[in-house]
């Protein structure tokens, strides 16, 4: 992804301070040193009165307060000294110490002081947001489907040539001898509807990838992929998903697809020394994780909160339908724990006994109410493996409920109420959603409700409206027919952060009966630099675009009750809600960042701007949910973003966006974690549950 730059001289910015922000310029140039400048600046802000009517004042006060402080940056563990005001003083006094300052730093600092004198920019109206939304086509649009038919035919022709080279009897997909060209075409068209065919013929090398893309990979991208292969980064993209890519560059804007599956130079350079962003995922056997939880195995159960745990089975579920370029578990692919060797990932002889041990861990837990089965990808597991896992969960929940009958009030254990499956296969490989799978999901729900499990979620991952194809729509409909609620999690990278894109995706998914669950800010490690969108854009989207679909608290509760009615298709209910409330979509998702140690949050404040222009944010944990008691002992979480706001805006310009559409981004220096949409709340817990914690290290119990 090209990253543009604006040619702005530092002298021009200094002149703007002198002309447009003359009181600040005069104050800085009349102070004998930084300490005096900080002191007098704080006094000036204090005399200016309350910050309530001018958020810019509170922001500058915080920058002054933190200036000179040394903090520990959570993602790297490095100590950073914040010098925003110090560097500004040197710059305005034309000292040599400011000679190497990035213009990205100077622009952001100027914009923050400008807020003291310039009113907050008005928010775009509904008409403008709707106009932005209309820019983004959907995979079910006629012209998109026509382009995909051409893509598919090109790929099928290449798949025929690949199959012709297969002669082993072990291969499921081989041509009988003497088959005509027409018959081969027909056979591959039939195989196209078989998910196993796509897994078998997925592009696993840069050569195969370029071949299926018609030889249209740019030299720069080819070089990145050759280096990726040399470093051992897996390549795995299914023919189906490649049929979504526009190889001509003229049919439609597919940057949201490309940025999600094509690797960046940053990722390749970082691979080999990628670390776990979420500290809880780095586990030493026998020792508690970063949130204080003791786990039976460091690679099967991930845990942060008392009421929820992630289960990663030792099955083919440790693979995916494709490797996402910003995958939060990239370090697992780096270590080889996750891979695309399907044969090696088949359950080993000891998996059944290990599964029983993992279920005992859940059974003996006093607070657990929610299990998320993921990977990798939960639906990459074969049907038999998935059935065994769900049966084990059901049996565990049943035993736990029976045991509670013999426990006294105040000593009962929390019972399982929610089961979730994390999967991107409705997007990567929708033909995987076959009738046998639907039967397994249906049967599990039928018996699970008898032991108190009432919420059944498929958490999928549509990244763009282009992924909402007829095949994906059918997959979603099948999952819903099994009685499971389909929700969506979006990774808010640069391409999808463009004006109106996320709002449009919400609208398209809502019409299918899919509820949006999370919108994740990309994690800020260096491997994600090319695709990282600053948190300021996340809050801007929340306040200026998503706001069109927000409901008041009372209406949200009423809507949640309607959605809980399983006798009415969710798509019909959501459409009725949107019509009755006159909203273009239902803003049921929460904007969050997965933080090291403290979990999902978007409660932050700007505390510093680094010389390269990257912002440093201080995060607090999400106070709307239960945490491990350890969270109260944790220090403030400081995160240095890996891209400046100015660099991000230049990227958008290179993608054809108008900078003026994003100008209000500078004023979003604070965030607040949104309340959870009522439909996602857990049912009322069982009465008499113990307050005691199990599986928690003694130093936090």
């Amino acid at each position: 992804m090209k990253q543009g730059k604006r040619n702005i001289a530092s002298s021009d910015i200094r002149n703007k301070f002198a002309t447009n922000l003359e009181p600040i310029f005069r104050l800085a140039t009349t102070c004998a040193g930084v300490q005096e400048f900080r002191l007098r600046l704080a006094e000036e802000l204090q005399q200016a009165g309350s910050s309530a009517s001018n958020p810019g004042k509170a922001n500058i006060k915080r920058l002054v307060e933190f200036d000179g402080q040394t903090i520990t940056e959570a993602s790297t563990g490095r100590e950073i000294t914040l010098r925003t005001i110090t560097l500004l003083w040197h710059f305005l006094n034309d000292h040599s110490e400011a000679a190497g300052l990035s213009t990205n730093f100077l622009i952001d600092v100027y914009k923050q002081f400008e807020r003291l004198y310039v009113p907050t920019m008005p928010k775009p109206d509904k008409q403008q947001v709707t106009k932005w939304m209309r820019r983004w086509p959907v995979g079910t649009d006629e012209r998109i489907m026509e382009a995909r038919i051409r893509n598919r035919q090109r790929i099928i022709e290449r798949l025929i040539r690949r199959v012709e080279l297969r002669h082993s009897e072990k291969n499921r997909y081989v041509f009988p001898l003497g088959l005509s060209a027409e018959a081969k075409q027909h056979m591959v068209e039939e195989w196209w509807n078989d998910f196993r065919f796509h897994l078998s013929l997925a592009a696993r090398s840069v050569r195969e990838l370029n071949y299926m893309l018609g030889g249209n990979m740019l030299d720069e991208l080819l070089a990145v992929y050759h280096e990726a292969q040399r470093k051992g980064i897996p390549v795995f993209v299914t023919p189906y998903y490649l049929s979504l890519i526009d190889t001509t560059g003229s049919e439609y804007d597919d940057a949201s697809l490309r940025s999600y599956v094509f690797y960046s130079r940053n990722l390749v350079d970082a691979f080999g020394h990628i670390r776990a962003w979420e500290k809880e995922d780095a586990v030493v056997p026998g020792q508690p994780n970063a949130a204080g939880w003791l786990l039976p195995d460091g690679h099967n159960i991930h845990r942060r909160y008392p009421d929820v745990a992630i289960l990663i089975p030792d099955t083919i579920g440790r693979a995916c339908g494709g490797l996402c370029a910003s995958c939060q578990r990239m370090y697992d692919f780096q270590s080889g724990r996750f891979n695309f060797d399907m044969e090696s990932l088949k359950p080993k002889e000891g998996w059944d006994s290990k599964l029983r041990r993992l279920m005992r861990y859940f059974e003996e837990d006093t607070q657990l109410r929610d299990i998320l089965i993921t990977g990798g990808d939960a639906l990459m597991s074969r049907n038999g493996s998935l059935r065994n896992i769900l049966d084990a969960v059901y049996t565990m929940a049943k035993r736990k409920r029976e045991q509670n009958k013999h426990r006294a009030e105040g000593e009962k254990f929390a019972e399982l109420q929610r089961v979730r499956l994390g999967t991107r296969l409705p997007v990567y490989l929708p033909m995987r959603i076959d009738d046998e799978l639907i039967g397994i999901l249906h049967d599990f729900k039928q018996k699970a409700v008898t032991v108190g499990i009432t919420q059944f979620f498929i958490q999928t991952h549509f990244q763009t409206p282009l992924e909402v194809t007829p095949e994906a729509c059918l997959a979603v409909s099948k999952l819903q027919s099994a009685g499971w609620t389909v929700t969506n999690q979006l990774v808010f990278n640069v391409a999808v952060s463009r004006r109106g894109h996320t709002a449009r995706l919400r609208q398209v998914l809502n019409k299918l009966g899919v509820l949006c669950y999370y919108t994740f800010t990309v994690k800020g490690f260096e491997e994600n630099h090319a695709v990282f969108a600053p948190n300021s854009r996340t809050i801007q989207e929340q306040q200026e675009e998503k706001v069109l679909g927000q409901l008041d608290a009372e209406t949200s509760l009423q809507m949640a009750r309607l959605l809980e009615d399983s006798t009415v298709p969710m798509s019909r209910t959501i459409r009725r809600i949107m019509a009755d409330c006159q909203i273009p979509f239902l803003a049921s998702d929460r904007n969050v960042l997965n933080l090291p140690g403290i979990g999902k949050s978007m409660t932050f404040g700007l505390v510093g701007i680094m010389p390269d222009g990257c912002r440093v944010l201080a995060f607090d944990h999400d106070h709307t949910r239960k945490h491990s008691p350890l969270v109260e002992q944790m220090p403030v979480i400081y995160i240095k973003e890996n891209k400046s706001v100015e660099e991000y805006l230049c990227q958008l310009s290179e993608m054809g966006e108008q900078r003026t559409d994003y100008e209000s981004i500078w004023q979003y220096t604070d965030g607040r974690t949104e309340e959870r949409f009522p439909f996602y709340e857990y049912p009322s817990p069982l009465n008499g549950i113990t307050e005691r914690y199990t599986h928690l290290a003694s130093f936090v119990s």
Side-chain angles (χ1 to χ4, degrees):
M1 185 180 293
K2 295 174 66 177
Q3 297 171 24
K5 292 183 179 180
R6 287 199 296 172
N7 295 319
I8 301 176
S10 58
S11 58
D12 294 336
I13 301 174
R14 189 171 184 274
N15 289 336
K16 290 186 73 173
F17 266 100
T19 304
N20 302 336
L21 304 178
E22 191 272 338
I24 302 300
F25 183 84
R26 178 167 31 88
L27 184 64
T29 53
T30 56
C31 287
V34 172
Q35 188 171 355
E36 181 185 355
F37 180 48
R38 281 198 300 250
L39 200 61
R40 290 185 58 188
L41 187 56
E43 290 173 352
E44 293 273 342
L45 292 171
Q46 190 67 31
Q47 293 172 4
S50 170
S51 302
S53 59
N54 188 338
K57 292 179 183 176
N59 181 49
I60 298 298
K61 283 183 179 180
R62 195 165 52 231
L63 292 175
V64 172
E65 175 190 345
F66 276 87
D67 194 66
Q69 290 192 32
T70 298
I71 56 95
T72 300
E73 202 277 326
S75 65
T76 62
R78 296 174 184 165
E79 289 192 343
I80 294 176
T81 300
L82 304 177
R83 304 179 69 227
T84 312
I85 304 302
T86 296
L87 292 174
L88 174 63
W89 181 81
H90 284 293
F91 170 69
L92 294 180
N93 282 282
D94 206 16
H95 289 174
S96 59
E97 187 173 343
L101 282 176
S102 163
T103 55
N104 295 343
F105 167 86
L106 298 174
I107 292 169
D108 201 348
V109 173
Y110 175 83
K111 290 291 186 180
Q112 298 316 310
F113 277 91
E114 186 182 48
R115 292 172 62 193
L116 297 174
Y117 306 99
V118 176
T120 300
M121 292 186 66
K123 295 180 180 180
D125 57 23
K126 182 177 181 179
Q127 183 178 6
Q128 177 61 72
V129 175
T130 302
K131 183 178 178 181
W132 285 328
M133 291 169 63
R134 286 174 180 158
R135 298 190 299 162
W136 307 112
V138 184
T140 52
D141 291 348
E142 186 173 348
R143 70 179 182 89
I144 303 299
M145 290 193 293
E146 290 174 353
R148 281 197 57 228
I149 289 172
R150 293 190 290 272
N151 290 343
R152 174 178 151 170
Q153 181 55 39
R154 182 196 69 249
I155 292 171
I156 284 178
E157 289 172 0
R158 283 158 172 77
L159 290 175
I160 289 173
R161 293 173 198 151
R162 286 184 60 190
V163 174
E164 286 174 338
L165 298 175
R166 292 179 152 206
H167 303 294
S168 172
E169 294 181 359
K170 294 181 180 179
N171 287 323
R172 180 195 297 259
Y173 304 102
V174 293
F175 294 135
L177 292 175
L179 203 65
S180 68
E182 183 179 358
K184 290 177 180 178
Q185 169 81 21
H186 178 73
M187 184 170 284
V188 173
E189 287 176 350
E190 288 292 317
W191 285 339
W192 186 271
N193 299 315
D194 181 351
F195 73 92
R196 289 173 289 262
F197 176 72
H198 291 271
L199 294 176
S200 178
L201 274 295
R204 290 175 173 266
S205 68
V206 60
R207 183 185 63 80
E208 291 177 351
L209 183 61
N210 191 34
Y211 180 61
M212 281 202 269
L213 288 171
N216 287 311
M217 290 178 70
L218 298 176
D219 290 343
E220 182 180 356
L221 185 58
L222 281 169
V224 168
Y225 265 86
H226 282 299
E227 178 65 13
Q229 282 203 279
R230 189 189 68 78
K231 295 189 74 172
I233 304 179
V235 176
F236 194 90
V237 193
T238 62
Y240 166 80
Y241 199 79
L242 287 173
S243 75
L244 275 60
I245 303 292
D246 173 29
T247 59
T248 69
S250 60
E251 298 277 7
Y252 48 87
D253 183 336
D254 65 354
S256 52
L257 298 167
R258 290 174 174 268
S259 67
Y260 208 74
V261 295
F262 290 167
Y263 306 154
S264 68
R265 170 58 62 184
N266 302 110
L267 169 61
V268 174
D269 289 346
F271 197 83
H273 51 86
I274 292 172
R275 305 189 315 159
W277 169 273
E278 292 154 13
K279 306 301 185 187
E280 301 87 342
D281 290 351
V283 178
V284 177
Q287 296 183 20
N289 70 5
W293 298 104
L294 293 165
L295 305 173
D297 185 281
H299 303 309
N300 288 110
I301 294 179
H302 294 225
R303 192 169 187 188
R304 175 184 292 133
Y305 306 108
D307 43 25
V308 61
I310 292 174
L311 174 63
I312 301 178
D314 287 343
T315 67
I316 301 177
R318 285 185 177 265
C320 300
L323 181 53
C324 306
S326 55
C327 177
Q328 69 173 359
R329 302 202 188 281
M330 187 65 75
Y331 68 95
D332 276 313
F333 283 100
Q334 178 181 269
S335 69
R337 283 193 293 271
F338 289 4
N339 58 69
F340 295 95
D341 185 349
M342 307 303 175
E343 287 299 315
S344 71
L345 290 175
K346 288 180 181 178
K348 304 298 186 293
E349 186 174 343
W351 166 237
D352 287 343
S353 61
K354 190 176 186 181
L355 180 59
R356 288 193 294 271
R357 187 170 74 251
L358 299 176
M359 290 302 113
R360 282 198 301 273
Y361 175 86
F362 293 147
E363 186 178 335
E364 294 166 359
D365 196 276
T366 56
Q367 305 298 324
L368 186 71
R369 297 200 279 168
D370 180 357
I371 294 176
L372 169 59
I373 303 167
T374 179
D377 192 299
L379 297 188
M380 281 294 289
S381 291
R382 293 183 175 181
N383 287 335
S385 296
L386 184 60
R387 182 187 291 109
N388 290 341
I389 294 166
L390 291 175
D391 283 345
V393 169
Y394 162 75
T395 302
M396 177 274 296
K398 182 179 180 181
R399 282 200 308 263
K400 201 168 189 179
R401 194 172 224 210
E402 287 297 320
Q403 291 162 4
N404 260 346
K405 294 177 181 178
H406 307 291
R407 295 188 177 113
E409 290 294 309
E411 292 297 325
K412 297 182 183 297
F413 288 12
E415 296 177 3
L416 194 63
Q417 295 177 307
R418 178 185 295 170
V419 173
R420 294 180 283 161
L421 299 176
T423 179
R424 186 162 152 80
L425 291 196
V427 181
Y428 270 151
L429 200 59
M431 48 284 292
R432 164 66 181 102
I433 316 303
D434 57 20
D435 292 342
E436 184 182 2
L437 171 64
I438 297 307
I440 290 169
L441 296 179
H442 176 271
D443 292 346
F444 171 74
K445 180 180 179 181
Q446 291 295 106
K447 62 184 181 182
V449 294
T450 66
V451 295
I453 304 174
T454 59
Q455 296 181 334
F456 303 83
F457 291 171
I458 302 290
Q459 285 189 192
T460 191
H461 183 167
F462 285 91
Q463 186 72 6
T464 167
L466 288 171
E467 294 174 334
V468 183
T469 63
E471 297 95 325
C473 293
L474 178 60
V476 167
S477 177
K478 286 183 175 181
L479 291 168
Q480 292 167 333
S481 73
W484 289 59
T485 298
V486 181
T487 65
N488 194 63
Q489 298 184 160
L490 166 73
V491 174
F492 196 67
N493 67 16
V494 172
V496 306
S497 74
R498 290 175 289 178
R499 283 290 201 181
H501 189 282
T502 300
R504 178 66 166 145
L505 179 61
R506 293 186 187 102
Q507 183 184 58
V508 171
L509 291 177
N510 284 169
K511 290 179 179 179
L512 296 180
V514 176
L515 282 174
C516 296
Y517 190 69
Y518 279 133
T519 296
F520 280 110
T521 291
V522 175
K523 297 172 181 63
F525 275 157
E526 192 57 34
E527 65 264 23
N528 292 329
H529 180 268
V531 296
F532 176 79
N535 287 275
S536 49
R537 172 61 186 131
T538 300
I539 302 301
Q540 184 186 44
E541 198 281 333
Q542 173 188 310
Q543 296 293 320
E544 298 185 3
E545 294 156 71
K546 187 168 77 172
V547 68
L548 293 188
Q550 290 176 340
L551 306 171
D552 59 56
E554 182 179 349
T555 306
S556 294
L557 281 172
Q558 293 173 354
M559 297 305 101
R561 296 190 190 102
L562 288 174
L563 292 168
E564 288 167 359
D565 183 358
S566 60
T567 64
V568 180
M570 192 165 284
S571 57
R572 188 187 307 170
T573 301
I574 294 174
R575 287 174 178 171
R576 173 187 163 187
I577 292 169
M578 292 192 295
D580 290 349
C581 298
Q582 297 183 318
I583 54 177
F585 53 81
L586 192 58
S588 55
D589 55 310
R590 294 208 299 174
N591 294 69
V592 293
L593 172 62
N594 246 335
L595 291 158
I598 67 172
K600 300 173 183 68
S601 175
M602 194 47 73
T603 299
F604 69 84
L606 175 67
V607 296
I609 304 171
M610 299 303 292
D612 59 2
C614 295
R615 292 179 171 185
V616 178
L617 309 177
F619 278 87
D620 192 6
H621 65 277
D622 176 9
H623 291 271
T624 69
R625 67 178 305 169
K626 288 176 65 177
H627 286 261
S628 155
L630 186 64
V631 77
E632 301 298 339
Q633 303 174 25
M634 289 183 181
V636 175
I637 299 294
Y638 296 99
I639 298 290
K640 176 184 180 289
E641 297 188 321
N642 71 15
K643 180 182 295 171
S644 68
V645 174
E646 174 63 19
E647 184 182 354
Y648 167 71
L649 292 176
C650 288
Q651 272 189 281
L652 293 180
S653 295
E654 287 290 319
M655 298 174 78
E657 295 293 287
Q658 299 295 319
R659 284 181 65 104
T660 52
D661 288 342
Y662 299 84
E663 191 58 34
S664 64
I665 192 174
W666 302 102
Q667 69 193 28
Y668 292 106
T669 52
D670 295 78
R672 180 68 54 187
T673 305
E674 303 154 286
E675 293 290 329
R676 189 194 300 264
F677 188 62
F679 179 78
Y680 297 131
E681 295 292 347
Y682 293 116
S684 298
L686 181 74
N687 291 328
I689 292 179
T690 179
E691 296 182 2
R692 179 171 56 89
Y693 285 79
T694 46
H695 303 134
L696 198 60
S698 58
F699 63 86
V700 294
S701 61

